[in-house]
Amino acid sequence: MTAVSAGLVRSDVRDRVAVITIDNPPVNALGAGVPEAISESVERACDDPSADAIVLIGAGTTFIAGADINVFRQLKTREQSLERSQAVHTRLKKLEDASKPLVAAIHGHALGGGLEFAMACHYRVAVASANVGQPEVHLGIIPGAGGTQRLPRLCGPSLALEMCTDGKPVGACRAHEAGIVDAIVDGDLLAGALTFAKARAAAGERRRTRDLQDRIADRESGVAACRAIRATLARTARGARAPFAAVDAIEACLTMDFDAGSRREIELFADCVLSIESKAMRHLFFAEREASRIPDVPKDTPARPITRAAVVGAGTMGGGIAMAYANAGIPVLLKDVDQQALDRGLAVIRRNYESTVSKGRMTPEAMNRTLARITPTTSYEGFADVDIVVEAVFENMDLKKGTFAEIGAVTPSDAILASNTSTLDIDEIAAASGRPAQVIGHHFFSPANVMKLLEIVRGRDTRPEVIASSLKLAKQLGKIGVVVGNCFGFVANRMLAYYMREAYLLLEEGASVSQIDTALTGFGYPVGPFGMQDIAGIDVGWRIRQHLKSAGKTRAEGPQSVVPDRLYEMGRYGQKTGAGWYRYESGSRTRIPDPLVDAVAAEEAANRGVTRRTIPDEEIIARIMTALANEGARVLEEGFAIRAGDIDVVYVNGFGYPRHRGGPMFYADSVGLPEVLARVKEYRQQFGDYWQPAPLLEKLASEGGTFHGDAA
Ligand code: 3H9
């Protein structure tokens, strides 16, 4: 056995097969030096008389997770991008021309450039647990190393279009059925890959993906599939560029030869990688990972394993939280005060799962297994054995305090006591438990079993271990945890109040409900502010406002529109009552604009002495986004969010803020902080002193800085 080591890539020969091992932890990304070292190792293996075939494999837990995402930041001009991509394409063609059978052995992930390297090999074998994918659209780019040209040649245009536009990886078994992977290896991957490679060498077989034509021979139906997916994307990927560019590149694969198609891919890649959309999405990729780094909670802080949980309150939120635990395989007690409330909650949970089953996204067996993890109860029996309790009772301080006093008494002294409150003071709740160091906010977003965000609210006394455990638990639940401070509304709802304030005021000033919602969906939101409230319930906001009034507080500085209160008084709570900001036909969720609501807004405008006018869509976006960024700046300078990126992560994952805009703070940076500041000042002149620039915004704008430093 001979061995050559080049740091990031090792080579040795085993049983007449050269084994090239990529060793670039943590995910074997194709950072500087890695592609070069792979090419050199393959060349050497081709020249090595002691090897008849070559296997490319990853060290550690994965094959290759793709290009190093940091590298894209260095691309400043189109020429640089074109040149770099051309070099990668040339490299992969050379790999494909290897004179000995070249086999990629895949475990973990073969993503992006990782799959592209694998497709430039002659064959691919994988363990069943591996997955392969082209996730580039999640970074605002398209596959840039031949993926859009080789993938359709292996699996046909339909699956290639799906993989390159939704970015979701596919499992090895599906990839095998589709032709992306040639064999599934049972047992040891390297042993299986060696056997496979030796057999190809013995048969004298080598297959270059770029020569394959069968799967793309039916050009007409391929082009029709491109047309169809563009129509779907026009609805589902509003405002995004990359998914459409991916379709264009795959269409080029169907209508041009390999080299011309590759040139098209290189050009489209360059357009995408330099776009603000890609910058925004790359920012979020790193911000979502950075959110788990808390300066005063070191990485090695012990985290309590969560194996048994309890949820108190079986309403909409409590039920959704119990589902999130059950989905993650954690047994959960679900407690409510009486059997009737419990039965109601359980019926909703069952209906939710049944709907998932009816859509083919879950098997009935999996549903029964998951449901069996939820144990309903009307007592605290079993609470002595849980690792965590999540309180999700009605948003009322006295009720929450009473609940915490009870759970403090019945749970182990080191159990985590979490509150799902969205606005109430965590410290006050914590004091009632008798164990404030164990208390923390776990603010889920509705529907709690679906939305990715977990806002983790640290109280004055919360122990670092409880914070570390909460972050780890968020990952276990498939969520992104963001640690925030204990201010009114925390980060998410504190800023939302400003978003809604502007929406209400714009309505009074003359924009219609549907104009405002359409402007925001055009910006990229899945649903506008009024459509969203009709889903969440106008009664929910009304209750919070009542609570605030009695405490002598307001949610956001500035005029408080009474239009939402008027709707509440009319019994218009939203979709659940068939009318809210819109009206709904029985059994339908289609939003039908209702002139009555605009008439109420006009009446209230007259009461406040506001002259109504035609408002351009650009003003709607500018006012709402400026209000968000200005309040975000306050949150940041007051220390309730650790980083601007955390605010972005909260908004994208909690409220459907469009990913391709990077979040409210990133968007402000991309508009330019001097411009954002100028808008605040202009609005102050136009609308009143409640528009006050946040000191941090003023400071950064005057220094030429940004909220994100050099990430923006
Ligand atoms: C591409 O390939 C373009 C090509 O078409 C053409 C090019 C010419 N780069 O997520 P985790 C880091 S575009 C740099 O916590 P997991 C990550 O930041 C790329 N860094 O682990 C984190 O660092 P830290 C297409 C990367 O087990 C650490 O690794 N590929 C990269 O939950 C662990 O990551 C993708 O989009 C990278 N490519 O999930 C795949 N990947 O510890 C992106 C990871 O300092 N990656 N890091 O915070 C993923 O989806 C997940 O990381 C993966 C593992 C599923 C692989």
Side-chain angles (χ1 to χ4, degrees):
M1 182 165 96
T2 57
V4 181
S5 178
L8 302 167
V9 173
R10 299 192 293 274
S11 300
D12 61 299
V13 178
R14 299 185 200 187
D15 201 9
R16 297 202 58 79
V17 178
V19 177
I20 300 173
T21 307
I22 306 134
D23 192 0
N24 185 25
V27 292
N28 292 329
L30 296 163
V34 177
E36 294 79 358
I38 294 173
S39 296
E40 282 160 22
S41 303
V42 170
E43 273 172 38
R44 257 199 316 271
C46 287
D47 292 340
D48 185 346
S50 69
D52 301 327
I54 310 162
V55 164
L56 183 64
I57 195 166
T61 55
T62 199
F63 179 66
I64 301 173
D68 181 344
I69 298 166
N70 291 296
V71 166
F72 301 128
R73 212 185 287 178
Q74 295 161 9
L75 298 174
K76 301 287 182 216
T77 66
R78 191 173 159 76
E79 284 61 42
Q80 273 177 347
S81 173
L82 295 175
E83 201 178 301
R84 206 183 170 106
S85 298
Q86 186 56 62
V88 178
H89 276 251
T90 306
R91 179 183 302 290
L92 290 191
K93 270 178 89 173
K94 214 165 160 202
L95 214 63
E96 207 171 27
D97 290 337
S99 57
K100 294 175 183 173
L102 174 56
V103 178
I106 302 170
H107 71 304
H109 311 278
L111 299 177
L115 178 57
E116 291 171 304
F117 261 73
M119 291 191 295
C121 294
H122 301 133
Y123 304 99
R124 286 144 298 283
V125 300
V127 289
S129 58
N131 61 53
V132 304
Q134 299 285 180
E136 286 88 344
V137 279
H138 297 312
L139 302 168
I141 53 175
I142 65 167
T148 63
Q149 306 304 302
R150 287 194 178 87
L151 187 58
R153 283 174 160 81
L154 288 173
C155 68
S158 291
L159 181 58
L161 282 165
E162 180 190 316
M163 287 172 67
C164 293
T165 56
D166 76 10
K168 288 190 197 139
V170 300
C173 295
R174 182 165 178 217
H176 180 220
E177 278 161 28
I180 305 169
V181 163
D182 297 288
I184 297 291
V185 173
D186 287 328
D188 185 65
L189 174 63
L190 181 57
L194 291 174
T195 307
F196 186 95
K198 278 190 291 188
R200 297 284 88 74
E205 288 171 354
R206 273 178 301 131
R207 192 190 60 196
R208 299 195 311 191
T209 308
R210 71 176 190 265
D211 294 338
L212 302 177
Q213 289 298 325
D214 280 8
R215 304 300 303 264
I216 53 170
D218 184 355
R219 266 146 223 247
E220 224 169 273
S221 70
V223 171
C226 292
R227 253 198 318 274
I229 204 156
R230 278 191 194 102
T232 308
L233 290 171
R235 288 195 313 276
T236 57
R238 250 184 306 239
R241 172 206 296 244
F244 294 95
V247 180
D248 291 350
I250 290 175
E251 189 166 39
C253 162
L254 302 170
T255 55
M256 300 175 178
D257 66 23
F258 183 82
D259 286 337
S262 296
R263 269 197 302 280
R264 184 84 186 110
E265 180 192 272
I266 289 170
E267 284 165 6
L268 288 161
F269 179 87
D271 295 340
C272 291
V273 80
L274 296 172
S275 68
I276 188 73
E277 165 183 335
S278 174
K279 230 173 157 183
M281 293 173 98
R282 285 182 271 129
H283 153 66
L284 284 170
F285 177 86
F286 290 113
E288 286 178 348
R289 283 155 181 84
E290 192 166 15
S292 61
R293 282 183 213 127
I294 313 302
D296 61 340
V297 182
K299 223 177 159 188
D300 55 2
T301 306
R304 183 190 175 100
I306 305 293
T307 55
R308 275 163 306 190
V311 174
V312 180
T316 312
M317 285 312 284
I321 296 168
M323 287 174 76
Y325 275 90
N327 294 346
I330 303 171
V332 57
L333 296 165
L334 179 60
K335 178 186 179 298
D336 212 316
V337 276
D338 59 45
Q339 196 59 42
Q340 227 180 0
L342 208 49
D343 289 345
R344 255 197 322 267
L346 281 171
V348 173
I349 292 175
R350 178 171 278 280
R351 264 203 309 280
N352 284 340
Y353 281 125
E354 281 169 352
S355 144
T356 312
V357 170
S358 73
K359 288 178 193 143
R361 295 209 300 259
M362 192 180 210
T363 62
E365 296 73 37
M367 174 181 96
N368 290 332
R369 262 198 317 275
T370 313
L371 268 172
R373 293 193 192 109
I374 303 176
T375 306
T377 175
T378 51
S379 76
Y380 282 116
E381 204 178 315
F383 276 57
D385 297 321
V386 298
D387 302 301
I388 184 168
V389 181
V390 189
E391 164 279 308
V393 302
F394 211 59
E395 194 74 350
N396 173 296
M397 183 53 99
D398 290 338
L399 183 60
K400 297 226 183 230
K401 279 180 166 172
T403 307
F404 268 79
E406 287 172 10
I407 59 179
V410 294
T411 48
S413 61
D414 58 349
I416 297 170
L417 309 181
S419 171
N420 179 51
T421 180
S422 55
T423 44
L424 300 178
D425 181 357
I426 288 292
D427 292 332
E428 205 178 331
I429 295 174
S433 74
R435 278 191 268 131
Q438 291 303 115
V439 175
I440 193 159
H442 280 188
H443 180 207
F444 287 80
F445 288 71
S446 189
N449 52 315
V450 176
M451 295 305 281
K452 293 277 282 181
L453 178 66
L454 180 64
E455 202 177 24
I456 299 172
V457 190
R458 65 189 293 175
R460 197 180 39 228
D461 302 314
T462 311
R463 288 169 66 214
E465 287 77 2
V466 173
I467 298 170
S469 307
S470 299
L471 282 164
K472 193 156 169 238
L473 170 69
K475 225 177 166 183
Q476 209 180 335
L477 298 180
K479 311 227 176 268
I480 298 173
V482 179
V483 176
V484 301
N486 179 27
C487 58
F488 182 76
F490 316 130
V491 170
N493 282 333
R494 172 170 165 176
M495 286 173 63
L496 185 71
Y498 286 81
Y499 173 93
M500 289 311 304
R501 177 195 75 190
E502 283 311 297
Y504 296 145
L505 295 182
L506 285 157
L507 184 67
E508 290 190 7
E509 287 164 36
S512 69
V513 166
S514 57
Q515 187 199 356
I516 296 168
D517 273 0
T518 308
L520 283 148
T521 52
F523 184 74
Y525 272 93
V527 53
F530 297 111
M532 182 178 85
Q533 270 203 349
D534 272 0
I535 297 168
I538 288 170
D539 52 325
V540 176
W542 181 85
R543 250 182 248 117
I544 294 173
R545 282 191 298 279
Q546 295 310 105
H547 161 72
L548 285 172
K549 258 187 220 159
S550 61
K553 291 187 198 159
T554 51
R555 285 190 91 172
E557 301 295 320
Q560 309 294 311
S561 171
V562 296
V563 179
D565 292 342
R566 296 236 352 231
L567 296 194
Y568 173 84
E569 284 151 17
M570 291 177 204
R572 298 178 69 117
Y573 296 171
Q575 286 189 3
K576 58 186 165 193
T577 57
W581 293 104
Y582 296 89
R583 63 184 185 81
Y584 302 87
E585 300 289 351
S586 156
S588 160
R589 290 182 182 172
T590 305
R591 298 179 187 104
I592 306 168
D594 192 339
L596 187 141
V597 175
D598 294 307
V600 172
E603 256 175 57
E604 289 307 329
N607 290 343
R608 283 208 304 117
V610 172
T611 313
R612 302 196 96 206
R613 63 193 165 98
T614 304
I615 298 179
D617 287 354
E618 299 74 47
E619 182 180 337
I620 294 175
I621 299 297
R623 290 255 303 268
I624 289 182
M625 293 306 142
T626 305
L628 270 181
N630 196 41
E631 189 59 14
R634 285 212 173 84
V635 167
L636 204 53
E637 66 193 332
E638 289 167 16
F640 292 108
I642 298 170
R643 296 160 279 252
D646 287 2
I647 299 179
D648 292 332
V649 173
V650 163
Y651 261 74
V652 167
N653 293 288
F655 292 136
Y657 190 100
R659 220 162 231 284
H660 64 274
R661 307 274 187 188
M665 308 311 278
F666 185 92
Y667 180 72
D669 278 346
S670 65
V671 167
L673 296 190
E675 170 64 23
V676 176
L677 178 64
R679 285 179 191 170
V680 175
K681 289 181 173 168
E682 183 194 320
Y683 298 152
R684 184 173 57 191
Q685 288 234 311
Q686 210 176 334
F687 303 110
D689 278 349
Y690 62 91
W691 275 100
Q692 285 295 336
L696 180 64
L697 173 62
E698 284 192 301
K699 178 174 176 288
L700 290 172
S702 71
E703 289 169 351
T706 63
F707 289 128
H708 297 87
D710 64 358

